[in-house]
Amino acid sequence: MKLTLISRMAIAALAVTIAAAAGARAQDATAQTDFFREGSTARSFGMGNAFVAVADDIGAAYWNPAGLALLSGSTFSTTRSTLDIFDLNTQTLSFAAPAYGGVAALILVYSSISGGIETEFDPITCRLVPIGTFEETDTAFSISYGKEYKENLYLGGTIKHAMQKVSRFSASGFGLDLAALYQYNDYIRAGLVLQNVGDMDIGSDTIPFNVRVGASIIVPQEPKLLIAVSYETEYLNESVASIGAEYRFAENLTARLGGNEDGLSAGLGVRFDKFHLDYSFNRNDDSGDENRLTVGYYVESRKKAPEKKGQEAQATEPAASEQARTTPSRPERAKKADEAAEEAASAPESAPAPAEDEPPKRGRGKKDDEEKPAATEPAPAAEETAATSVPKR
C-alpha cells in the first residue's frame, strides 16, 4: 500500500513536470511569435516576407523602419489576418505621415485565439482534465521613424510595446529595433535591421535578438519585375531565408510570389487612384492556411508623387533656362540701340570737328553748291568718328 502511494506520487510529480515543461515550451513559442509580424501587410507576406530591402510602403514600419523615409506623403491602412488551424485572428491599424524631416508611423495590433481548452492535473486519476475554456489576446503598438541620413542612405528605428493575456494571467514588455536602408543605384537596395535590441522580455518569456539582412533589385531588362531576398538569424529558435518577387502587369495590377521555410505564398495587389487593395495566401502544413487582406489609402501616392515633382521640375527648368537665354538679349539689344543713337547723335557733332574755330551752324545755313562738300564730308567723318568712338567706349 505504501509502495502504491509512493508510485502515485512519483507519477503525479512526473506528470506535473511534463505538463509544466510543455506549458513552458508553448509559452516560449507564443512569446517568440512576434505579434507585429502577424499584423504586417499582405504585400510583404505575398512576397514571402522578403521585404527588408523593399520597405517602400507602410509595411516598412515592421520590416525596416528606415524605409519609411521613402514614403512621399501620409498613408493609412488596415490589415486583417486569419490563421485556420489556431483560429487566430489579427487586426492591424497603421498610419504614417511626414514629421521632422522624415516620416513617422504608428502601428496598433490586436490578435486573439478563442476556444482554447484549459486543463488541470487530477491527482486521483493522474491525468490532465479539462476545466474550461480560455481566450488568449495579444495587444501591441509601436512608434517608428525613418529619415534620409545622407544621400541614398536612410536610417530608422522603432519603439514597441506588447502585452499578452492568457486566461487570468498577463505580461507585457518593451522592445527596440534599429534599421538602415541603402539605395546603391536606381535598381539595387540593401537593408539591415537589428530587431529586439537587448531582447524583448514579456513577463518571464523573451523574444530574442534578431538580425535581418536583405537585398532587392529591379531587373534592368524588365523594370516591371522586382526580386528580393532576406535572411533572419533568430526567429522561432531558427534562422529563416526568404525569397520573393513582384511583377507589375499594369499600372494598377501587381502579382506576387514568395517562399521560405514556413511555406509558399502568393498575392495580388490592385490600386484605384489613391486606394490600394492587397491580398496574400500562405500555405503551411504545420500552422495551416493563412489569409491576409490589406486595405489602404494614400494621401499622396508613394510612386507617382516623386515622378510628378520631377516632371514639374523638368517642365519648369527648360522655361527657366529659356528665360535665362532670352532675358539677357533684351538689354543687349537696348544697349546696341543706345549706342547707335549715340553714334547718330555724335555724327553731326563730329562733322565740324575739322574746323574747330567755326561755329556749329556755319555750314548748315548755305544753300549753294558749298553744301554738297559739307554733305559728303560728314559721312566719312561720321564713319571715322564711329570707328574711333567705339574703341573708346
Side-chain angles (χ1 to χ4, degrees):
M1 182 69 179
K2 187 176 180 181
L3 182 60
T4 304
L5 180 60
I6 294 175
S7 300
R8 286 186 177 182
M9 292 178 64
I11 294 173
L14 180 61
V16 170
T17 302
I18 294 174
R25 285 196 298 270
Q27 284 184 344
D28 231 12
T30 302
Q32 292 182 20
T33 302
D34 197 330
F35 313 147
F36 293 98
R37 181 185 291 253
E38 299 304 320
S40 187
T41 61
R43 183 190 176 202
S44 59
F45 268 74
M47 296 181 66
N49 295 333
F51 211 70
V52 180
V54 179
D56 56 359
D57 64 9
I58 190 63
Y62 172 76
W63 294 106
N64 189 339
L68 289 172
L70 299 176
L71 273 69
S72 62
S74 301
T75 177
F76 170 82
S77 71
T78 178
T79 300
R80 176 73 174 181
S81 173
T82 60
L83 189 61
D84 294 341
I85 195 169
F86 293 117
D87 194 19
L88 174 65
N89 298 301
T90 305
Q91 189 70 43
T92 306
L93 297 177
S94 306
F95 177 75
Y100 302 103
V103 177
L106 175 65
I107 311 294
L108 301 175
V109 183
Y110 177 82
S111 65
S112 63
I113 302 176
S114 58
I117 300 176
E118 188 174 2
T119 60
E120 185 179 73
F121 178 74
D122 186 353
I124 297 176
T125 60
C126 298
R127 295 179 179 178
L128 294 174
V129 295
I131 60 174
T133 60
F134 71 92
E135 181 179 5
E136 177 185 339
T137 60
D138 301 324
T139 306
F141 72 88
S142 68
I143 298 176
S144 304
Y145 182 77
K147 183 177 181 180
E148 186 175 12
Y149 176 69
K150 58 174 63 176
E151 187 177 5
N152 297 327
L153 177 61
Y154 306 88
L155 301 179
T158 297
I159 298 176
K160 53 190 178 180
H161 175 267
M163 183 175 69
Q164 185 180 45
K165 183 178 181 181
V166 181
S167 188
R168 301 179 299 272
F169 305 96
S170 63
S172 62
F174 287 88
L176 173 67
D177 299 344
L178 300 175
L181 184 68
Y182 181 67
Q183 184 82 43
Y184 180 72
N185 55 30
D186 293 339
Y187 304 99
I188 300 174
R189 286 181 194 160
L192 170 66
V193 179
L194 306 179
Q195 187 186 29
N196 306 318
V197 176
D199 294 339
M200 182 176 180
D201 295 327
I202 302 178
S204 59
D205 298 319
T206 299
I207 301 179
F209 173 66
N210 181 31
V211 178
R212 292 193 190 119
V213 293
S216 67
I217 179 172
I218 297 175
V219 180
Q221 294 78 9
E222 185 57 57
K224 294 182 179 180
L225 178 61
L226 169 67
I227 299 176
V229 294
S230 67
Y231 179 80
E232 298 187 56
T233 60
E234 186 71 36
Y235 179 69
L236 292 177
N237 291 327
E238 61 182 11
S239 59
V240 177
S242 304
I243 184 171
E246 181 179 68
Y247 187 82
R248 190 177 71 254
F249 287 97
E251 183 65 24
N252 60 345
L253 180 61
T254 305
R256 305 177 182 105
L257 186 66
N260 51 41
E261 295 181 8
D262 291 336
L264 297 176
S265 59
L268 286 173
V270 181
R271 299 188 180 276
F272 305 95
D273 191 19
K274 296 180 180 180
F275 290 90
H276 68 96
L277 179 68
D278 296 308
Y279 170 78
S280 67
F281 174 81
N282 177 262
R283 177 65 179 174
N284 191 315
D285 295 333
D286 296 328
S287 59
D289 298 339
E290 184 173 7
N291 296 275
R292 197 174 299 259
L293 181 67
T294 299
V295 179
Y297 175 78
Y298 288 95
V299 176
E300 294 182 9
S301 173
R302 61 181 175 83
K303 290 185 177 180
K304 291 184 178 180
E307 295 177 3
K308 184 177 180 181
K309 292 179 181 178
Q311 291 172 358
E312 290 176 355
Q314 292 174 1
T316 55
E317 283 174 2
S321 59
E322 290 176 3
Q323 184 69 13
R325 289 194 298 268
T326 57
T327 301
S329 63
R330 294 177 181 176
E332 287 177 0
R333 290 196 297 267
K335 184 178 179 181
K336 290 180 180 180
D338 292 341
E339 290 178 353
E342 290 177 0
E343 291 175 0
S346 62
E349 294 177 357
S350 60
E356 295 179 356
D357 298 334
E358 296 180 1
K361 295 181 180 180
R362 184 171 181 177
R364 298 177 184 177
K366 294 183 179 181
K367 295 182 181 180
D368 53 6
D369 295 337
E370 293 180 1
E371 293 180 356
K372 294 181 181 180
T376 56
E377 290 177 2
E383 293 176 358
E384 292 176 358
T385 53
T388 56
S389 60
V390 172
K392 290 180 181 180
R393 292 178 180 273

